[in-house]
Amino acid sequence: AQKITQTQPGMFVQEKEAVTLDCTYDTSDPSYGLFWYKQPSSGEMIFLIYQGSYDQQNATEGRYSLNFQKARKSANLVISASQLGDSAMYFCAMRERSTGNQFYFGTGTSLTVIP
Amino acid sequence: NAGVTQTPKFQVLKTGQSMTLQCAQDMNHNSMYWYRQDPGMGLRLIYYSASEGTTDKGEVPNGYNVSRLNKREFSLRLESAAPSQTSVYFCASSTPGGRDFWSTEAFFGQGTRLTVV
C-alpha cells in the first residue's frame, strides 16, 4: 500500500486565489511527521512546512498552511493568495518513528498559477 | 552555507558504462539518502545511510551500490548503466534531531540529471 497518496496530478489556480493540494497518508505508527516540499522548474527541492502527529494545531508558515485531519489521515497543503512564483511541483512526504530514517514521498501535484 | 552538494549536475553515459555520483553535506547530519525521480512516480528511495558505516536498501536498489565514506560523504555508483537508469538523482541528508527525530526535514542537493543512451 502506498504510504503517501497525492491524487491531483495537476492543478490550476487564478493568481491571488487560494488553492488546496491534497495528501493522504497511511500509517499505524502514532508518531510521525508530515512534510511538504516545493520543486520549481529549476529542479531543487524546497522544504515548505511540517506537521507532527501530536501537534494540536495546524501548522502555518507565511502563506502556507497545513489542514491536518488526523482521523481521516489527510494533510492537505493550503496556499493562500497564490502568486505566479508558486507554479511548481509539490510533494507530500512522511517520516515515521517505527521505520526510522526513511522518508516516504507522494507522486506530486503540478500547480500552475494563471495570471 | 553549502548544505548538500552533488556532483555532477548533468551526465550522459553509454549503456554499460560506470560512474559514481558524489554527495557531501556540511550540516553534520547523521542520515543521508539517495533518491531517483521519474515523471509521475515521485521520489523513490534507492539507498540510505542512517549513520557513518551503515547503509540500507530502499525501494529501488537494483543496479546501484553506495558508500558512506565518512559522515559528510555518501556516494552512489552505477556499475553498468542501463537506459532504465535515466533519471534525476537527488542526494539528501537529515538528522535524528534527538528524541523526536521524525520531526526533522530532509535537505536536498540540487540533483543530477543522468541520461543513459
Side-chain angles (χ1 to χ4, degrees):
Chain A
Q2 292 290 330
K3 289 276 192 181
I4 296 287
T5 302
Q6 293 180 256
T7 58
Q8 306 156 314
M11 291 280 286
F12 292 87
V13 65
Q14 205 76 37
E15 193 177 6
K16 300 180 184 177
E17 297 292 313
V19 63
T20 298
L21 307 184
D22 294 342
C23 173
T24 57
Y25 59 92
D26 182 27
T27 182
S28 57
D29 193 328
S31 303
Y32 55 90
L34 297 156
F35 306 83
W36 277 92
Y37 286 84
K38 173 184 179 181
Q39 185 181 41
S41 58
S42 52
E44 71 269 30
M45 295 287 287
I46 302 167
F47 166 69
L48 294 177
I49 194 168
Y50 161 79
Q51 180 84 45
S53 59
Y54 298 111
D55 294 343
Q56 295 296 313
Q57 297 197 352
N58 289 341
T60 61
E61 289 286 347
R63 294 185 300 109
Y64 304 108
S65 61
L66 207 152
N67 184 0
F68 181 47
Q69 298 186 45
K70 195 170 181 177
R72 299 179 64 181
K73 295 188 176 179
S74 73
N76 299 337
L77 178 70
V78 181
I79 305 174
S80 63
S82 296
Q83 303 172 355
L84 295 178
D86 294 333
S87 294
M89 282 289 290
Y90 289 82
F91 292 96
C92 180
M94 178 176 68
R95 190 176 188 184
E96 304 166 308
R97 179 180 180 179
S98 56
T99 51
N101 285 280
Q102 294 197 52
F103 287 83
Y104 301 96
F105 283 84
T107 52
T109 295
S110 176
L111 177 67
T112 302
V113 180
I114 303 168
Chain B
N1 292 337
V4 180
T5 303
Q6 282 182 242
T7 55
K9 293 192 69 175
F10 301 94
Q11 184 71 48
V12 179
L13 289 179
K14 293 182 178 179
T15 298
Q17 286 185 319
S18 63
M19 80 161 295
T20 300
L21 280 65
Q22 307 286 353
C23 176
Q25 52 91 9
D26 63 2
M27 295 174 283
N28 202 35
H29 286 169
N30 289 330
S31 305
M32 297 187 74
Y33 311 84
W34 277 105
Y35 288 91
R36 61 177 287 172
Q37 183 180 17
D38 303 291
M41 303 192 77
L43 279 80
R44 292 183 293 168
L45 182 64
I46 304 171
Y47 273 93
Y48 68 100
S49 171
S51 60
E52 185 179 353
T54 68
T55 60
D56 287 284
K57 294 179 180 179
E59 181 184 355
V60 288
N62 291 344
Y64 305 95
N65 287 301
V66 291
S67 296
R68 183 75 183 266
L69 305 171
N70 47 56
K71 191 170 186 178
R72 290 187 64 248
E73 298 173 288
F74 189 39
S75 62
L76 178 72
R77 183 161 178 84
L78 287 70
E79 290 291 351
S80 178
S84 61
Q85 294 178 306
T86 294
S87 188
V88 178
Y89 292 85
F90 284 98
C91 177
S93 71
S94 185
T95 179
R99 187 181 65 183
D100 297 340
F101 67 87
W102 57 89
S103 67
T104 53
E105 73 270 29
F107 294 79
F108 284 83
Q110 291 187 305
T112 297
R113 187 173 294 275
L114 175 66
T115 302
V116 183
V117 297

